[in-house]
Amino acid sequence: MNRILTIRGGAIGDFILTLPALKALREAYPNADIEILGYKQIAVLAENRFYAERVRSIESALLSRFFAKNADLPAELAEYFAGFDLILTYLYDPDLIFETNLKRSGARKIVRGPAKIEDSSPASCQLARPIEELGLTISNFGPRLYLSNEDRHRAREFLAGLVAPIVAFHPGSGSNTKNWPLKNWIEFGSHFLRNFAGSLLIVAGEADENQIRQMESIWQNPRVRFAKSLPLPDLAGALENTIFLGHDSGISHLAAAAGAKCILLFGPTDPAVWAPLNENARAIRAPDTDLQRLDVDLVRAALDQELIRIGIST
């Protein structure tokens, strides 16, 4: 295996949950040239960071022709796919049209991973099944990021001036039903600022603008910093040494893979499937799967335990 290609679309969490499979490939073929075809702003987490030498954007109009039956295939992409000894693809391809076109291009060996999570076993285990079918062994299904020195340097610059311990939280997710009420986050954060000498780091993306605007109006405090749409490697570096609280979201998977001590709040989605399998991550399931009913005191107690572990009295 001199050249290996992994084709992985999906959101941040989908990509990170695939990392144990990619780690097994890297460990089995340490000298192989490995490439990822994916969303560059996400797959950069793996580029020159242990998993892959390079990333190519999946957002190419030419690639769409590979999903058409008996299509006239672009010569450039056909030659590209033919250059790999192994292609691992997680693309949705129910009629095997894409796979057939890969074979027409001269692709030598194609392995299909699940395009979606199909049963009640942990998601990272399901995504690793095609690797195990290749005869490779996976001993740890907790995803891990390998940050560069530059990632950590930029993170330190961003966090400069904040006093430890830093408690980070991301009040959003891909769905309102997966979110703890905003008033609870505000109560939780205000309690921390009143009772501890540390700092708050609030993670925000484009979908969280309304929530973040309210928090900014309440916490005009030098001990509170808002991380708005940071590049993912920089955000991972900023979260690495924090205590992180979040929901079932891609950012929570990012934090766990970066090494943060994670307390993750689950409602309608099943933590047995979707919670990170990292030792540094703990899931709390809401009563009757309803996050409206998850008590602030219960979450505060979980934070107190993490603070005690790092020597902060509560």
Side-chain angles (χ1 to χ4, degrees):
M1 295 290 179
N2 295 315
R3 297 193 69 211
I4 298 172
L5 175 67
T6 297
I7 307 175
R8 184 58 166 131
I12 297 169
D14 301 318
F15 183 82
I16 291 174
L17 285 166
T18 314
L19 291 181
L22 302 188
K23 186 172 188 287
L25 279 178
R26 171 55 79 198
E27 290 175 342
Y29 306 107
N31 298 317
D33 185 273
I34 299 179
E35 188 163 331
I36 296 172
L37 181 62
Y39 296 112
K40 293 198 76 168
Q41 70 273 22
I42 298 174
V44 68
L45 290 165
E47 186 176 25
N48 291 315
R49 295 169 175 85
F50 176 73
Y51 293 103
E53 277 67 42
R54 70 192 62 82
V55 168
R56 179 169 175 149
S57 175
I58 201 171
E59 297 176 283
S60 165
L62 293 177
L63 189 62
S64 64
R65 307 228 321 247
F66 277 77
F67 290 91
K69 197 171 185 178
N70 300 319
D72 183 16
L73 301 177
E76 175 197 344
L77 272 183
E79 182 179 353
Y80 170 73
F81 288 127
F84 292 97
D85 300 298
L86 171 66
I87 296 177
L88 169 62
T89 172
Y90 287 91
L91 295 183
Y92 182 66
D93 187 26
D95 298 319
L96 302 185
I97 295 172
F98 180 73
E99 183 174 336
T100 298
N101 285 330
L102 287 180
K103 291 176 179 176
R104 288 176 59 206
S105 298
R108 300 167 205 178
K109 184 175 180 62
I110 302 165
V111 176
R112 280 183 286 121
K116 60 181 181 179
I117 300 307
E118 298 170 339
D119 57 47
S120 59
S121 60
S124 59
C125 297
Q126 295 187 49
L127 294 168
R129 285 172 185 162
I131 301 300
E132 295 174 317
E133 291 168 8
L134 287 170
L136 306 182
T137 301
I138 300 178
S139 58
N140 187 345
F141 291 92
R144 178 182 174 187
L145 293 174
Y146 295 83
L147 301 176
S148 69
N149 291 333
E150 291 79 10
D151 298 333
R152 291 188 169 101
H153 175 72
R154 290 192 299 271
R156 284 194 298 270
E157 287 186 330
F158 178 76
L159 297 175
L162 291 184
V163 177
I166 298 175
V167 172
F169 56 75
H170 176 224
S173 72
S175 167
N176 284 335
T177 63
K178 296 196 294 183
N179 291 350
W180 204 33
L182 181 61
K183 64 181 179 61
N184 291 354
W185 285 110
I186 293 171
E187 179 183 342
F188 179 88
S190 297
H191 170 83
F192 176 81
L193 291 170
R194 284 194 305 269
N195 292 280
F196 298 96
S199 307
L200 283 182
L201 176 66
I202 316 300
V203 180
E206 291 181 4
D208 309 314
E209 287 183 3
N210 291 334
Q211 295 167 311
I212 297 307
R213 194 177 300 114
Q214 292 184 58
M215 290 181 170
E216 285 178 320
S217 68
I218 293 169
W219 294 328
Q220 298 178 2
N221 187 322
R223 294 166 57 201
V224 181
R225 190 155 301 169
F226 292 85
K228 297 181 181 179
S229 301
L230 289 182
L232 292 180
D234 296 13
L235 180 58
L239 295 175
E240 183 177 18
N241 296 307
T242 66
I243 300 173
F244 175 88
L245 292 95
H247 303 120
D248 176 14
S249 74
I251 298 301
S252 292
H253 285 286
L254 180 81
K261 306 298 184 187
C262 294
I263 302 167
L264 306 180
L265 315 181
F266 277 76
T269 52
D270 187 355
V273 178
W274 294 107
L277 294 181
N278 307 68
E279 292 182 356
N280 51 297
R282 168 188 175 185
I284 298 176
R285 191 81 185 269
D288 298 324
T289 73
D290 182 1
L291 279 163
Q292 301 284 336
R293 298 184 57 198
L294 181 59
D295 191 76
V296 174
D297 288 339
L298 180 63
V299 181
R300 190 182 298 154
L303 174 63
D304 289 346
Q305 291 176 8
E306 292 298 335
L307 291 169
I308 289 170
R309 286 192 183 102
I310 61 174
I312 307 295
S313 59
T314 61

